[in-house]
Amino acid sequence: MAVQVPVASTNIVDILVAQGDLAPERAEQVKLAEVQTGKPLEDIIREQKVVSEEALIRARATFYNIGYVDLRNMPVNPAALSLLSQEVSKKFKVFPISADASKKELQLAMADPLDLTTIEFVEQKTGYHVRPFAAVPDAIDEFVAKRYSTTLSQEVTAALKEVSGERKINVLDASMQQGGLIRQERISEVVTHILDFAMRARASDVHIEPLERTTRVRYRIDGILQEKLTIPRELHDSLISRIKILCGMKIDEKRIPQDGRFNFKNPEQEVDLRVSSLPTSWGEKIVMRLLKKTGGVPELPELGLRGRALKNLEDSILRPHGIITICGPTGSGKTTTLYSIIQKLNTPKVNIMTLEDPIEYKIEGVNQVQINPAVGLTFASGLRSFLRQDPNIILVGEIRDHETADLAIQASLTGHLVFATLHTNDAAGALPRLLDMGAEPFLLASSMTAIVAQRVLRKIDEKTKEAYDPDPKIVEEMRQVLGPLFPKVQQIKFYRGAPTPENNSSGYHGRVGVFEVIPVTEVIAQLILKRSPAGEIEAMAKKEGMITMKQDGYLKVLEGVTTIEEVLRVAQE
C-alpha cells in the first residue's frame, strides 16, 4: 500500500499550532531545539511533553494524510473483530474498527499506520483490503484486552453462517422463519449480551436501529446517547423477532408500532424492560427502557435538592391539602422526584393513590394505577374515580387537559394533597399554562401550594476528579448570575473528570438534579389572580429568595459536583 508523502512546507509542529494544541511561542522553542540537537521533532515533542499523545497522533495522521480515529467514541463491530484474532491484534498493535463484506474492506486502527509489513500481513490473513487509521497506542492495547472478551464476535460469526445457509430455503416467509423459529440460541446470546452491557453501563434506554448496511445499538448513559455496538444487517430481523417474542408482541406484524414488556435478570440485579417497536424506512426500530426492580427510591437531598429549595418543598408536602406541580421536559427526572416525595409521605396512616403512564417503580403500600385509554381509563376518568376511594394523597402522572386540571384543583380544594407533573420549561411558566388550560385564577390561587422545576445533569466522576483554572469570562458571567450567592474567595477552581473505561470515556458518573422551587405566597397568589405573565411571577419569586435552576447549577459547579459545560447544556435559557 502506498503512503502519501507529506508536503515539505509543513511539519508536525505547524499542524499542532493549527489544531490549537500548541502555542506559537512554544512551537518556535521546539523548532529551535531541533536545530540545536538534530533530533526529530516528534522525539523532542515527546521528551518535553508539550502536547498530549493524542494531539501528537492526530497531527501525525494529518501530516501523512491518514485518517485518525478516537477509539473511545467508536462502537464495537463484532463482524470486524471476527476477522482478526485477539492474539494477532495484540502482537501487531491493531484493532479492527469495521468491515464491509461487499467491498472486502477492513478499517483498522493502528499504532503505526505506516507499517506496510503489518498491513500486508493482515490483508493476506483476512482476504480484505486494509484501510489504516491512526489511533493512540494505549487505547488500542486497552480495546484489544477488554473488547475481545466482551464482544459478540463468535456468536455473530456463527449466526451469519446460519443466515447464509438458511436464506435459500426461507423465501416465502422470511420474517417468521428467520426471527421466530430459527437460530434462537445464537440470537438469544446476542440479546443477553446487549442487555447485560446495558445494566453494567447503568444505561436507562437501549436503541436498536436499522441502518442501510448495519444495525447500530446505542445506549443512553447518564442522559446521553452513546453508540457502543454495530451488528451486521443480516441479523436485524432475527434480533427484532427475538425481542418481540420475549415481550409478547406479534412478530409477523411489522407495519404498526407495538408495545410490550419483559424482565431480565443477571447475577447482580433484575430489571423490568418496557419495549417499543416502530417501523422505519430500513426496518423496525426497537427501544427498551430499563427500570430497576431492586434498589430503593432516593431521598430528596440525594436528588440534589438542598437549602431553601429543599425547605420550601418539605414545608409544602407537610400541608394536608393543596397542589404541588413538578415541571420539566421529558427525561428531566420529574417521576423520580415524585416517587421520593411519595416515599417520604408513605405511612400506614394515609391512603396514597397514583395515576401513572406508565408505572415506573412499584412502591409497597401505595395504590398505583396504570392509565389505559383503550378501555376509557384516562387521567381524568381515573381521577374522578379516585375521589370515591377515600384518598389522602393523590398523584396525577400528568395534567394534559382542562378536565384533568379542573379535577385536580377540585380535589385539592376538598381536602386532598395533589401532586402532578406538567411539561413547562420553568416553574413560573406552570401557572400561565394551567390558566391557558381553563383553570379559574381564583381557584388556582387558593389551591396551588408550590411549583418545582428541574433538570438532570451529569456528575463528575469522583475517582478521576481534577481541578483547573477557569476562563475569566465564564467566572465573570457566573458572578453576575449568582450575585450575592457568589463565594467571596480569591481563587476560583473548576473541576472535571478524566475519561476512563469505567465512566464510558466521559469523565462523568451518575446524575444530579438542578431545581427551582416557588412557594405560592400571598404575593404570588395575587399575581395569579391578575393573570400575570411568567416573567413577572419569576421576578417576584426571585425577589422572595428563589434560586433559579441556572444558579443552582453554577453553585454545584463551584462545589465540584458537575462541570460548567453540563450546566450550560442543560439549564441555559
Side-chain angles (χ1 to χ4, degrees):
M1 177 183 169
V3 176
Q4 186 166 336
V5 179
V7 180
S9 61
T10 58
N11 56 43
I12 294 278
V13 173
D14 293 333
I15 293 167
L16 284 167
V17 172
Q19 285 177 181
D21 294 310
L22 189 62
E25 307 80 40
R26 198 79 178 86
E28 291 306 318
Q29 291 170 8
V30 172
K31 286 178 183 177
L32 185 62
E34 182 200 20
V35 174
Q36 290 171 341
T37 64
K39 289 182 181 178
L41 282 171
E42 283 186 44
D43 292 352
I44 295 167
I45 290 165
R46 282 197 171 95
E47 280 172 17
Q48 296 187 2
K49 295 181 178 176
V50 291
V51 296
S52 66
E53 183 71 10
E54 182 186 350
L56 181 57
I57 287 166
R58 270 194 292 119
R60 195 167 182 261
T62 304
F63 186 59
Y64 289 106
N65 200 21
I66 292 170
Y68 168 79
V69 65
D70 182 356
L71 285 178
R72 292 172 305 184
N73 298 321
M74 288 297 294
V76 174
N77 187 317
L81 260 63
S82 66
L83 294 173
L84 215 58
S85 69
Q86 187 172 10
E87 292 73 27
V88 171
S89 294
K90 188 176 181 181
K91 183 180 176 183
F92 292 100
K93 272 191 179 291
V94 298
F95 186 82
I97 305 168
S98 69
D100 188 331
S102 60
K103 293 181 183 175
K104 283 285 181 180
E105 184 179 272
L106 174 66
Q107 293 188 354
L108 195 65
M110 302 178 69
D112 182 8
L114 304 178
D115 186 349
L116 298 174
T117 309
T118 297
I119 291 170
E120 192 178 337
F121 174 81
V122 172
E123 285 184 339
Q124 286 178 354
K125 189 159 186 68
T126 61
Y128 278 61
H129 168 68
V130 168
R131 190 172 159 208
F133 284 83
V136 178
D138 289 348
I140 291 176
D141 291 341
E142 181 192 307
F143 265 57
V144 170
K146 293 185 178 178
R147 300 301 170 126
Y148 268 94
S149 58
T150 59
T151 192
L152 291 157
S153 53
Q154 292 176 347
E155 292 86 344
V156 166
T157 307
L160 278 170
K161 284 177 184 173
E162 291 172 11
V163 169
S164 58
E166 282 159 10
R167 280 205 159 175
K168 295 169 187 171
I169 304 164
N170 300 319
V171 178
L172 286 175
D173 195 352
S175 63
M176 281 291 288
Q177 291 291 325
Q178 282 190 2
L181 306 172
I182 301 173
R183 295 188 313 282
Q184 284 304 315
E185 282 181 32
R186 298 286 182 199
I187 295 300
S188 180
E189 285 171 9
V190 175
V191 173
T192 301
H193 172 84
I194 288 169
L195 294 177
D196 195 51
F197 180 84
M199 289 170 76
R200 284 188 285 110
R202 303 172 293 104
S204 60
D205 301 83
V206 180
H207 294 236
I208 299 173
E209 302 167 307
L211 306 177
E212 187 176 3
R213 291 191 175 86
T214 60
T215 290
R216 71 176 175 183
V217 182
R218 295 195 291 172
Y219 298 85
R220 192 174 290 281
I221 302 166
D222 292 334
I224 305 292
L225 270 177
Q226 299 180 24
E227 189 177 349
K228 292 289 182 184
L229 189 68
T230 58
I231 293 170
R233 188 70 177 81
E234 296 90 326
L235 300 183
H236 181 78
D237 289 345
S238 306
L239 189 62
I240 298 299
S241 294
R242 175 63 187 158
I243 294 167
K244 282 179 155 187
I245 288 166
L246 285 169
C247 57
M249 292 182 191
K250 296 176 182 177
I251 61 169
D252 57 338
E253 179 55 84
K254 297 185 174 188
R255 299 162 302 171
I256 57 170
Q258 295 185 67
D259 294 305
R261 63 195 310 160
F262 68 98
N263 288 357
F264 178 75
K265 194 174 184 179
N266 71 5
E268 285 84 38
Q269 57 181 314
E270 186 177 356
V271 290
D272 183 22
L273 290 124
R274 284 208 329 266
V275 184
S276 167
S277 78
L278 184 75
T280 71
S281 57
W282 295 115
E284 282 185 284
K285 175 185 173 177
I286 288 271
V287 175
M288 296 183 276
R289 164 68 57 91
L290 281 75
L291 303 168
K292 286 183 184 176
K293 300 190 91 175
T294 50
V297 176
E299 298 280 326
L300 289 172
E302 289 174 55
L303 297 176
L305 270 161
R306 74 268 173 87
R308 184 175 290 183
L310 178 62
K311 186 180 184 304
N312 284 338
L313 183 57
E314 285 181 333
D315 289 347
S316 300
I317 66 178
L318 292 175
R319 287 176 153 188
H321 54 82
I323 300 178
I324 296 168
T325 58
I326 315 284
C327 308
T330 304
S332 60
K334 300 188 297 292
T335 305
T336 306
T337 302
L338 282 174
Y339 282 163
S340 298
I341 294 169
I342 292 296
Q343 188 81 333
K344 190 177 175 71
L345 298 172
N346 187 16
T347 68
K349 295 179 181 178
V350 291
N351 177 19
I352 302 175
M353 305 197 69
T354 76
L355 198 55
E356 302 174 57
D357 180 27
I359 297 169
E360 294 200 8
Y361 300 97
K362 291 185 173 65
I363 305 173
E364 198 167 335
V366 176
N367 304 290
Q368 294 172 274
V369 178
Q370 163 83 51
I371 74 157
N372 187 352
V375 295
L377 179 52
T378 61
F379 283 120
S381 65
L383 191 49
R384 198 175 279 110
S385 303
F386 273 19
L387 297 174
R388 296 192 286 273
Q389 289 280 323
D390 186 30
N392 298 98
I393 298 165
I394 296 169
L395 187 154
V396 184
E398 189 185 337
I399 295 178
R400 293 177 181 169
D401 51 41
H402 165 67
E403 192 180 2
T404 312
D406 197 42
L407 285 164
I409 291 168
Q410 293 301 329
S412 71
L413 292 171
T414 51
H416 305 92
L417 183 57
V418 179
F419 295 97
T421 71
L422 207 57
H423 283 287
T424 61
N425 289 329
D426 53 22
L431 296 165
R433 178 76 190 277
L434 288 167
L435 292 169
D436 287 344
M437 283 184 191
E440 291 293 343
F442 64 94
L443 294 177
L444 198 58
S446 54
S447 62
M448 191 64 73
T449 309
I451 308 143
V452 181
Q454 67 177 89
R455 301 283 190 281
V456 283
L457 36 77
R458 294 179 290 175
K459 287 165 68 178
I460 295 169
D461 185 356
E462 286 294 328
K463 292 177 184 172
T464 65
K465 188 156 88 172
E466 57 190 25
Y468 70 97
D469 293 321
D471 185 331
K473 289 179 186 174
I474 293 173
V475 175
E476 187 53 41
E477 202 261 341
M478 285 180 80
R479 197 188 302 274
Q480 288 175 7
V481 170
L482 288 173
L485 298 170
F486 193 83
K488 293 173 174 62
V489 291
Q490 292 294 319
Q491 188 73 15
I492 296 290
K493 288 280 183 188
F494 283 7
Y495 298 86
R496 59 187 165 211
T500 65
E502 286 71 34
N503 60 40
N504 289 297
S505 303
S506 67
Y508 298 97
H509 190 279
R511 293 199 282 176
V512 69
V514 286
F515 298 85
E516 59 186 35
V517 179
I518 299 180
V520 180
T521 59
E522 283 295 323
V523 181
I524 301 285
Q526 287 299 318
L527 292 176
I528 297 171
L529 287 171
K530 292 178 192 169
R531 291 182 175 268
S532 299
E536 240 177 90
I537 294 167
E538 185 176 337
M540 183 53 69
K542 282 181 185 174
K543 204 173 174 182
E544 293 188 332
M546 178 190 81
I547 292 173
T548 66
M549 282 185 287
K550 194 171 184 182
Q551 288 176 325
D552 190 21
Y554 280 169
L555 290 171
K556 287 181 168 84
V557 169
L558 294 170
E559 289 165 18
V561 175
T562 188
T563 63
I564 186 72
E565 291 81 10
E566 272 298 286
V567 175
L568 295 176
R569 178 180 72 84
V570 168
Q572 182 70 286
E573 290 157 6

